[in-house]
Amino acid sequence: MDMNPPPVEELRRVDAELARLDARRAELLARRAWLLGVLYAPAGRAAAPPFPGVAAPAETSPRGAQNVLLTLGGTLLAVAALAFTLVSWGSMGIAGRSAVLFAVTSAALAAPAVLLRRGLGSTAEAVGALGLVLTVLDAYALHRVALPGTDGLGYTAAAAAVLAGVWGGYGGLLRGLRLPLPAAVVAAQLPLPLGALAAGGGPAVVAWAAVLTAAADVLVLGRPSRSEVRVTAGVSAGVLAAWALLTGAGLSLTDPWTGAPLLLGCAALCLYAAGAARPAASTLATVAGLALVAAVAGPARAALPAEWAVPVYVVCGLALAALWRPVRAGWIPEAVRGGFGLAGGVVAGLGVLWALPPVLAGLLGPADRSAGLWSGTHAAPVLADYPATAALVLLLGAVAAVTAGGPWGRWGAVVLGWSLLMALPVALELPYAAGIAVRLVATAAALGLAVRPGGPAHDRPEPAPGPAPVPERPEGAWGASWTAVTAGPVVPVAPGALLAWTGSAAGTASAVSALLLALDVRAATFGVLGVLLALFTAVAVLGGGAVRETAAGAAVLAAAGLVGAGAAAAGLSGAAAGLALLIVPAATAALAVRVRSVAAEVTGVAVGALALALTVPRPAALALALALGGVIAAATALRAERRRAASWTAGALFLAAAWVRLAVWGVTVPEAYTLPVTVPALVVGLLRRRRDPAASSWVAYGPGLAATLVPSLAAVWSDPHWTRPLLLGTGALAVTLLGARFRLQAPLVLGGAALALVAAHELAPYVVQLVGALPRWLPPAAAGLLLLAVGATYERRLREARALRGRLARMR
């Protein structure tokens, strides 16, 4: 028996089941809405669960409506009291005024107690806030009526103190209210600063008042209290302390002996707060460290000349950062030590930034050339009036980096030491020769570090796969902040490789600077280029990896500079100098047999291109240079790894040399230019076909044949003589016969097409004469007969064409 119901019956069942599911879903949604209302309703709210089938619970409850009414009533009462106080105040006597103020304020402050007992927490908060506002209004009204002659600032300070006490007591009595205690903390911020202003105190006195108030806030932070009170006290303390710190920093510049105690007080406050606010302990310790540096360095700076200001701050910062040593004895907490280290590092870093202009001037100043090369005139010193103490700042930074130790300390010492050497010529206004010597010393030191940066990193084996190693934490002045710096994901970098790359970059930069400065004097140019050639050659021999390649390329450039300088000193023309420069790529190609360096070879090629460019104005010299370049490329092709590229380059250079020489001789026959291309190309194609018999004849012989046949055909159509057509036709016939003999498609097609075109060129005049002598009706008639004949034998001609195409396709 078939148990499947008919489609109509099954559709009815599906629709009924879907309707039942929809009804159940609506019931569950109604229940969910009621449960959410119970969970998030105010205290004391009661509501009955919906009965099955009810879509949603009631939108409000009697208690909710009561809360709204009470809130609106309290608001209207406060507004009315405010309007009465401001507008109708003058129509009542002092007793009436006092009674109204007392009654309204008392009612507003007493109402929250009743509301809290009835579970109306939100309404109590709103009415209590209005009561606090009314107390402020009472204080204002009291000043206007009873104490009009009192100083405004003094009265405000006293009123703020009274209001802070009243609000604090009120919040303590009604602990269900969250607003009075934070409001009391805010009011407590005003009495001391406003009182100091009212007493005529200056900026330092007011700042001290702010510090004392912030200290009271910090005491509140140290006591167990509600979160809103702690947050308010913390924010207030931060604002007042920041104001005091800014004031102290300004005073340390104008009146150091007044600003120093204030900064010390701020530092002490921050250190004490670091113990109460442990999440921000490191930040507070950093601020305290900056304040200590400013407090100590300010008076010392005032007692010294102006150029010693930055070194004084740097020394104080480094001394503060050096407090890491007592940590081992447990004298200074870890967070405080970290903040001190970061503060000292920031001060030292700012000092290094201040000292950078002489470094940049020493590096780039020689490029500012006002006279020609070898003029003997030196550019005016850049930043000549910059304090010489900039070099002292760089020296202090380098010493601190060495003291720090670790990979990053060594790297910082290298960078700062090199910067010191580059800044010395400018900072100390050294003579010309001394400036060159210092730059060469910087180059040698940096390149020496690139060769042996504590062991060649490129020779070390690759680490085994696994988790990234934890970087070494440096000891020293800035070691305190190392944990914070390396807290995130770290990409391990080999210290040796980092130092090598840094030394290579610094050495190259200082070498360029020394060379630019040496271009002022001829002897200095040769001396510097010789020293640089020796240095970069040594690095290329002793170094490894990218450092070795960079040095090899720089050595080739230095050699090219020496050759060019020699040519210029000898008074050679540009073309002769270009021929002389070919010595460099020739030497590079010769050395590449024993010393493999891609950078040296590429640089040698670039120098060769420059040499060719210099010979362009003289075609005869250009032809010679191209030929010499071809010889160098052919010699390079003897190396197996360079054979393909060098051989093609040599062929192109030889061909270009032949063409230029032909142009110099005034040769205009195109075959003189094309046959030197065709013959080698056909030889190469023949060799390829021997190695690979399956290679296409179009690839092997097509380019070579086309190089001569196409230009010669173009010349035939404009040549009135018979010699070229005869020679070209004979050559095309030979090519066609060879293509047919050896079944090669490219020679057969190209030779046949060239032969047909030459024949057409030779017969064209006679055809024109014949057509002119015939009757005018004869050519159309002949064309019609030809079309009829072709149409009648179309199928056979089509088969013949297909057979010819097949025979051609079978050829190679």
Side-chain angles (χ1 to χ4, degrees), residues 549 553 556 588 597-608 642:
E549 291 295 315
V556 174
T588 303
S597 173
V598 177
E601 293 185 61
V602 171
T603 309
V605 171
V607 173
R642 296 284 185 265

Side-chain angles (χ1 to χ4, degrees), residues 279-638:
S282 181
T283 302
L284 291 172
T286 302
V287 176
L290 294 174
L292 286 174
V293 170
V296 176
R301 174 194 57 81
L304 295 174
E307 59 267 20
W308 289 92
V310 176
V312 166
Y313 281 97
V314 172
V315 168
C316 293
L318 294 177
L320 178 69
L323 290 179
W324 64 275
R325 294 184 182 276
V327 176
R328 298 180 178 178
W331 297 351
I332 302 177
E334 179 74 14
V336 175
R337 188 268 305 178
F340 281 178
L342 182 58
V346 168
V347 173
L350 292 176
V352 170
L353 290 178
W354 172 82
L356 282 183
V359 179
L360 297 178
L363 185 63
L364 304 177
D368 185 14
R369 188 175 306 281
S370 58
L373 302 180
W374 295 350
S375 62
T377 303
H378 312 308
V382 183
L383 299 176
D385 57 344
Y386 206 86
T389 51
L392 176 60
V393 171
L394 294 173
L395 177 62
L396 291 173
V399 172
V402 171
T403 305
W408 292 107
R410 291 195 297 270
W411 179 83
V414 169
V415 173
L416 292 175
W418 175 83
S419 301
L420 172 62
L421 290 177
M422 296 306 299
L424 282 178
V426 176
L428 302 182
E429 299 184 27
L430 297 179
Y432 177 74
I436 292 180
V438 170
R439 287 173 172 85
L440 290 178
V441 169
T443 302
L447 293 179
L449 195 68
V451 174
R452 291 296 174 187
H458 48 273
D459 294 337
R460 298 174 184 173
E462 293 293 331
V470 178
E472 177 187 354
R473 175 176 175 173
E475 299 291 343
W478 294 316
S481 56
W482 180 251
T483 303
V485 174
T486 59
V490 176
V491 179
V493 178
L498 178 62
L499 290 178
W501 298 337
T502 304
S504 177
T508 304
S510 52
V512 173
S513 179
L515 179 59
L516 290 174
L517 185 61
L519 292 177
D520 291 344
V521 179
R522 177 182 300 182
T525 301
F526 283 98
V528 169
L529 284 172
V531 172
L532 293 180
L533 177 59
L535 288 176
F536 283 115
T537 302
V539 175
V541 173
L542 300 176
V547 172
R548 174 179 178 272
E549 291 295 315
T550 303
V556 174
L557 289 177
L562 275 175
V563 174
L572 300 181
S573 63
L579 292 174
L581 273 178
L582 289 175
I583 298 174
V584 176
T588 303
L591 291 175
V593 178
R594 301 295 300 273
V595 180
R596 304 297 171 87
S597 173
V598 177
E601 293 185 61
V602 171
T603 309
V605 171
V607 173
L610 175 61
L612 295 178
L614 290 175
T615 59
V616 168
R618 294 184 57 186
L622 176 60
L624 178 58
L626 289 170
L628 293 175
V631 173
I632 296 172
T636 304
L638 297 176

Side-chain angles (χ1 to χ4, degrees), residues 45 81 118 131 218 264 422 424 578 729 797:
R45 175 175 175 177
R118 296 190 178 184
V218 172
L264 292 175
M422 296 306 299
L424 282 178
R797 304 302 178 199

Side-chain angles (χ1 to χ4, degrees), residues 109 116 132 163-184 226 228-229:
L109 294 176
L116 287 174
L132 300 182
L163 289 176
V166 171
W167 291 350
Y170 183 68
L173 291 175
L174 298 180
R175 296 190 174 274
L177 298 180
R178 304 176 64 88
L179 184 60
L181 290 178
R226 298 167 64 168
E228 61 269 17
V229 176

